[in-house]
Amino acid sequence: MSAVSIPWIRTAFGSVMMLVMAMLMGCGSAAPQVKSELPPPIVTVAAPVERMVTRYEYFTGRTEPLDKVEIRARVSGYLKSIHFIPGKEVTKGTLLFEIDPEPFKADLERAKANVLIAEADLLTAEADLVRADSRQFTTKKTYDREEDAFKRGVGSEANRDIAKGMYDEAAANVKSGNAKIKQGMGKVDEAKANVRNAELNLGYCTIKAPIDGIIGDKLVTEGNLVTGGVGNTTLLTTIVAVEKMDVAFDVDENTLQRVEGWMRDGKIKMLIPGEIPVEAGLAVHGDTYPIKGVVNFADNQVDPKTGTIRMKARFDNPKPKLGNRLFSAGMYARVRVPIGEPVKSMLVPEAAFASDQGTRILYLVSSDNKAIRVNAAIGISEGELRVVESIQLPGESQSRSLMPQDRVIVNGLMRVRPGITVEPKFAK
């Protein structure tokens, strides 16, 4: 190929390539553009539930028995026998423990013998007093005769002095006899008191339940030496009353003042003056409060360290036909105080709420199917529903209540943004 033909071929090839590129660009501008638009998200909506709802103040506390008794030994001795099953209910007067009574029986017999000795000594003193009285009477007569004779000049002074000495001695013996009788009576009383003390100690060998309730574990086993008396006595077991149970809870100052204000205004109805109706629930009851009682105790001062006051609510705790009673001492309990009469309220499912920096929010669907975010002021829960006190729409300064015609998004919140169009489907 000649040198002239090569540049010509290159020029022709470049022209062809430029023509192809121009054709491709022309075809690209003429091609139709395809737009991919997503359909509106499907959400589930529901109308608010209108219901009569009672307002409450809520507290938490622990159950406390009305009575709790520590069973301790009152005399020292060896534990002879135990007559109860730990953890079971006992009635007042039930035999619980026996301490070996033999040493105390011996003490009682000794004390009774001392009474007989003291009474015999008293009888002897009384006989001595009778003789002293008789001696005093005869010596008084003799002395009076010698004194009269001496005054008339027919008697001697020596005889008068002898008679007076004998009389004074007899009078002294009478005084001594009276003193011995008082002493003897005191010894009799002391001996009888020792008998009573010995009887008590013998009685303390038998330990019975002082109240009805549930008895705890046995802290000492048979055969051990227990210490009684005063001071560091041996703790044998405990009994807690269970027929009724208190729930103790703390109330802050602000809540206390609100509750007292509601009481003065008559919003809290009291069947008995000073007793506030209250409801309680345990862990087994979930969110319900099925147990009815009354608040019948408030402490006499607010604790300055915590700013709270201790209150107690009392509940019946009957024994069922099967199983144990509902309350046990030390259980966690929820308490609520009803405030006023039930009022008409609007409720929505708990699932409808979202949260933004501590603010509870709801999404409503407008008439043109736009999602509207609103801030919600919430109230108490009623099962799976929550009271909505009021809502505040964007751009509005005044809040309003939910309306029965409002459509609240209850499912599909993750697909919703304020202002987007949604496809609402009513919940079944």
Side-chain angles (χ1 to χ4, degrees):
M1 186 177 293
S2 64
V4 178
S5 63
I6 292 174
W8 180 86
I9 293 174
R10 289 178 178 173
T11 302
F13 180 76
S15 299
V16 171
M17 291 300 296
M18 289 179 67
L19 179 60
V20 171
M21 290 179 65
M23 292 175 65
L24 290 175
M25 290 179 64
C27 292
S29 60
Q33 296 183 353
V34 179
K35 292 184 177 181
S36 58
E37 295 184 359
L38 297 177
I42 299 175
V43 295
T44 305
V45 297
V49 177
E50 189 173 346
R51 183 181 296 176
M52 300 298 291
V53 175
T54 303
R55 265 54 174 178
Y56 296 93
E57 282 288 340
Y58 291 85
F59 310 96
T60 57
R62 293 280 178 182
T63 56
E64 294 181 355
L66 273 63
D67 296 304
K68 178 181 178 181
V69 180
E70 292 183 343
I71 307 299
R72 294 181 178 272
R74 300 185 69 172
V75 292
S76 298
Y78 287 95
L79 190 60
K80 182 180 178 180
S81 57
I82 299 175
H83 298 272
F84 66 91
I85 300 175
K88 298 297 183 179
E89 290 196 23
V90 295
T91 57
K92 183 177 180 179
T94 300
L95 179 62
L96 304 178
F97 300 94
E98 282 187 287
I99 296 172
D100 183 12
E102 294 304 320
F104 301 96
K105 289 180 179 179
D107 290 342
L108 177 59
E109 295 302 320
R110 188 181 302 109
K112 288 180 178 180
N114 289 335
V115 170
L116 297 177
I117 294 172
E119 289 176 341
D121 290 342
L122 179 59
L123 289 175
T124 301
E126 289 174 343
D128 291 342
L129 180 59
V130 171
R131 287 192 295 270
D133 281 336
S134 177
R135 178 67 176 168
Q136 183 184 26
F137 179 77
T138 57
T139 56
K140 180 69 166 58
K141 290 290 187 180
T142 302
Y143 171 66
D144 288 342
R145 284 195 301 269
E146 292 296 331
E147 178 69 18
D148 181 64
F150 178 75
K151 288 180 179 179
R152 288 187 289 108
V154 295
S156 67
E157 183 178 359
N159 290 337
R160 185 200 66 175
D161 291 343
I162 291 172
K164 185 177 186 307
M166 295 175 65
Y167 169 67
D168 290 341
E169 181 182 358
N173 288 336
V174 169
K175 291 182 179 179
S176 175
N178 285 322
K180 287 181 179 179
I181 286 178
K182 290 182 178 179
Q183 184 181 28
M185 294 174 63
K187 288 183 177 180
V188 169
D189 291 341
E190 180 183 6
K192 289 182 177 179
N194 289 336
V195 169
R196 178 58 181 156
N197 187 60
E199 290 174 341
L200 288 174
N201 287 338
L202 181 59
Y204 292 151
C205 292
T206 301
I207 302 174
K208 298 180 179 180
I211 61 171
D212 297 339
I214 294 180
I215 195 164
D217 198 5
K218 50 186 179 182
L219 304 180
V220 180
T221 56
E222 295 175 354
N224 281 285
L225 178 65
V226 297
T227 303
V230 180
N232 189 23
T233 57
T234 302
L235 177 63
L236 303 176
T237 189
T238 58
I239 301 177
V240 294
V242 290
E243 191 65 32
K244 292 181 181 291
M245 196 70 67
D246 285 345
V247 175
F249 56 96
D250 294 323
V251 180
D252 63 85
E253 294 181 59
N254 293 335
T255 304
L256 174 65
Q257 293 172 15
R258 289 200 306 272
V259 171
E260 290 178 341
W262 291 324
M263 292 172 62
R264 289 189 294 268
D265 296 339
K267 293 182 178 180
I268 296 180
K269 305 298 183 182
M270 293 180 289
L271 299 178
I272 299 176
E275 293 189 351
I276 303 173
V278 70
E279 301 171 358
L282 303 177
V284 69
H285 298 130
D287 294 332
T288 63
Y289 293 77
I291 314 168
K292 310 298 181 184
V294 293
V295 176
N296 63 352
F297 169 79
D299 209 347
N300 57 3
Q301 60 181 348
V302 174
D303 187 345
K305 296 180 180 179
T306 61
T308 60
I309 189 170
R310 174 57 57 95
M311 303 184 76
K312 292 182 180 181
R314 183 160 297 175
F315 301 89
D316 290 330
N317 192 29
K319 184 176 177 60
K321 293 182 179 179
L322 297 175
N324 298 325
R325 299 175 189 263
L326 182 61
F327 287 112
S328 296
M331 296 177 71
Y332 169 82
R334 296 170 289 108
V335 176
R336 69 181 184 182
V337 178
I339 308 301
E341 300 295 333
V343 296
K344 186 182 296 185
S345 304
M346 306 302 291
L347 300 91
V348 299
E350 290 278 8
F353 292 97
S355 182
D356 184 8
Q357 297 182 353
T359 301
R360 302 301 292 272
I361 60 175
L362 291 172
Y363 279 95
L364 307 183
V365 177
S366 65
S367 58
D368 57 353
N369 290 342
K370 298 290 186 180
I372 305 174
R373 169 182 155 155
V374 297
N375 295 337
I378 63 173
I380 65 173
S381 62
E382 289 280 316
E384 297 181 353
L385 303 178
R386 173 75 67 173
V387 172
V388 178
E389 302 287 356
S390 63
I391 59 173
Q392 187 169 12
L393 279 70
E396 296 185 5
S397 59
Q398 296 294 328
S399 59
R400 69 167 178 86
S401 300
L402 274 176
M403 301 297 181
Q405 63 270 22
D406 285 330
R407 294 183 294 174
V408 181
I409 297 178
V410 296
N411 193 10
L413 291 176
M414 297 298 294
R415 299 187 293 271
V416 177
R417 296 292 181 271
I420 69 170
T421 300
V422 296
E423 182 180 348
K425 301 289 185 181
F426 273 93
K428 296 182 181 179

